[in-house]
Amino acid sequence: MPHSFDWVCKDVVKKLQGKDLCPVKRLSDATKFRQFEILQKTAQSLFWKTEDIPIGYSLLQILEPNFPVPEPEVSAPIPLKCTVSQKLKGHLGAKVVAEGGASAEFAHSAGYNIEVQCTSIPASKLEILQNRKLVDKEPSFVKDCRIGATDLYVVTEAFEVTKGTVLEDSSSVNLQGKVLTPQFGKVQAQGEWQRERKDSVPILKGAVVAYKKKQLVIENDTCAILLSAKAKKKTLLGIPRMQPRFLSGSQYFQPKSYSLEIEISMFLLDCISMGMDLYFQHLQNEISEKTWKLAILSKDVQEVVFSSLLPMLRDKEILYDLMIMLELGDLGHMHGPGGVILDELRKDPWIGLKDLILYLLHALMVLSDTQLNLLALSMEKRLLLQQRELVKSILQQNFKYPWNIPFTLQPELLAPLQGEGLAITYELLKECGLKMELDNPRSTWDLEAKMPMAALYGSLSCLQQLVEA
């Protein structure tokens, strides 16, 4: 659906305007972000957010029983409503239609009408849970997180739907005139063609649409919740984490025992001390290191990963399921191309291959469903190299600017992208939040585009390396 559960949750977060409030990404996860649910996050990049992944445990399940549980505070119901409709009418371009032309009308409408209620535990009440002993000295999921140097969080505030509702989305396309029909060998057809589509998705009572979290720290056989966002600490003490550090545009590795947030803070201080012009260079270094590691894999492994990812790009849920399995250390059974990748990991359990696949999956998760479909088309049409160079040039020009600014696309980079290839590329960029017009090289950099553009650059770079295998 063009306007999905993900869209509803993002819109709800905008309306609520709560600090540190996160939207739930998938309807299938809507009951996994309730209060006290434990989430994990693995540091994959300094430049885009990673997913909060529910591990299937509640904090109350792992603490010793027979202790006081803080009483949650429940807000009054909050009604939220949104209706979006648009209608576009115009003439289709000469490449799409036969001589004589055709007109098209596109109509789309979507909306939601929900009521949510906030269930929260204020920081003062969370004190009751501090330094409580664990039922097991080290639960199984904690061992997995320790191996993967993963940070854990606990949901402390959740906005739940109080009444079941239905998300509805409808669209229609009406073509009139003399049109080409590629599905019938580019036969010309005179007349009118219509298509209507209606979708509905039920959102059940109790579904969580937004949440807040606090970091969980496990030390020895006790756990604590970091009540202040400024109090940064590694979730699991004892094993150093390997994180990249950048100096003078080059990269080397040293053991670090910081959380991702601390690493980001140190990284930003490096940028300020060395000049913000190097900011893009750090992104370039991170991605270059990943593509170099991909390049040293065997050609057969690269081909398996590439050919398996191609069909998966058209179904984000499958990509997400594979990412969850890898994050939770589960190399169990999975049908289709995802299973092929898991089989490859079983053959060679080298953790580097798993980390490389996870890096790419996390970058892809930042992109929209539309972008993933466009990436699949780009892979089939071998457009990745040209797109990567175009995206690189845009980031290189604008990455350092913390404001919106006009810029011009480089003609020599646009030249290889003609016709359908250019249209696909423009849609990829527009979906990141850039303001662009197909017939105008002048565009506008939007600060909100920085993270999706960085993730797009990372995705294109890794996929292009796999193409070259």
Side-chain angles (χ1 to χ4, degrees), residues 293-411:
K293 286 185 175 180
L294 279 173
I296 62 176
L297 297 175
S298 74
K299 299 295 184 183
D300 289 343
V301 171
Q302 291 186 63
E303 174 58 33
V304 166
V305 175
F306 177 81
S307 59
S308 300
L309 281 172
L310 179 55
M312 294 170 71
L313 288 175
R314 291 190 166 90
D315 192 333
K316 197 172 187 178
E317 285 294 329
I318 296 178
L319 287 171
Y320 180 73
D321 290 343
L322 177 61
M323 185 187 74
I324 295 295
M325 292 183 74
L326 296 184
E327 284 286 14
L328 298 180
D330 178 9
L331 297 183
H333 183 69
M334 188 176 185
H335 291 292
V340 176
I341 290 178
L342 291 176
D343 289 341
E344 200 61 45
L345 287 169
R346 288 190 204 95
K347 291 178 193 173
D348 183 3
W350 177 51
I351 194 169
L353 175 57
K354 175 184 166 184
D355 288 345
L356 290 172
I357 293 172
L358 272 172
Y359 181 82
L360 177 54
L361 288 173
H362 275 279
L364 293 172
M365 284 296 112
V366 176
L367 307 180
S368 67
D369 290 348
T370 300
Q371 285 177 304
L372 293 179
N373 276 291
L374 292 169
L375 269 182
L377 275 174
S378 301
M379 289 167 72
E380 291 167 351
K381 296 179 179 298
R382 294 293 194 263
L383 301 172
L384 298 177
L385 179 59
Q386 299 96 313
Q387 290 172 339
R388 185 191 70 186
E389 293 308 302
L390 181 61
V391 171
K392 178 182 177 180
S393 72
I394 295 171
L395 288 171
Q396 217 163 6
Q397 288 180 67
N398 303 291
F399 207 63
K400 62 185 178 182
Y401 295 119
W403 56 78
N404 296 359
I405 188 170
F407 69 95
T408 302
L409 297 170
Q410 296 179 22

Side-chain angles (χ1 to χ4, degrees), residues 24-82:
V24 175
K25 299 290 184 68
R26 288 157 195 86
L27 185 56
S28 58
D29 288 340
T31 59
K32 300 176 184 177
F33 288 87
R34 289 180 176 151
Q35 207 158 54
F36 296 123
E37 290 295 318
I38 299 175
L39 315 174
Q40 76 171 46
K41 177 178 284 191
T42 305
Q44 293 295 338
S45 173
L46 296 173
F47 297 94
W48 54 81
K49 293 179 182 177
T50 53
E51 298 273 330
D52 288 333
I53 299 173
I55 65 170
Y57 283 85
S58 164
L59 178 63
L60 305 184
Q61 287 178 282
I62 67 170
L63 296 180
E64 284 189 339
N66 305 319
F67 61 87
V69 177
E71 191 69 27
E73 295 183 358
V74 181
S75 74
I78 306 168
L80 296 166
K81 187 176 181 180
C82 178

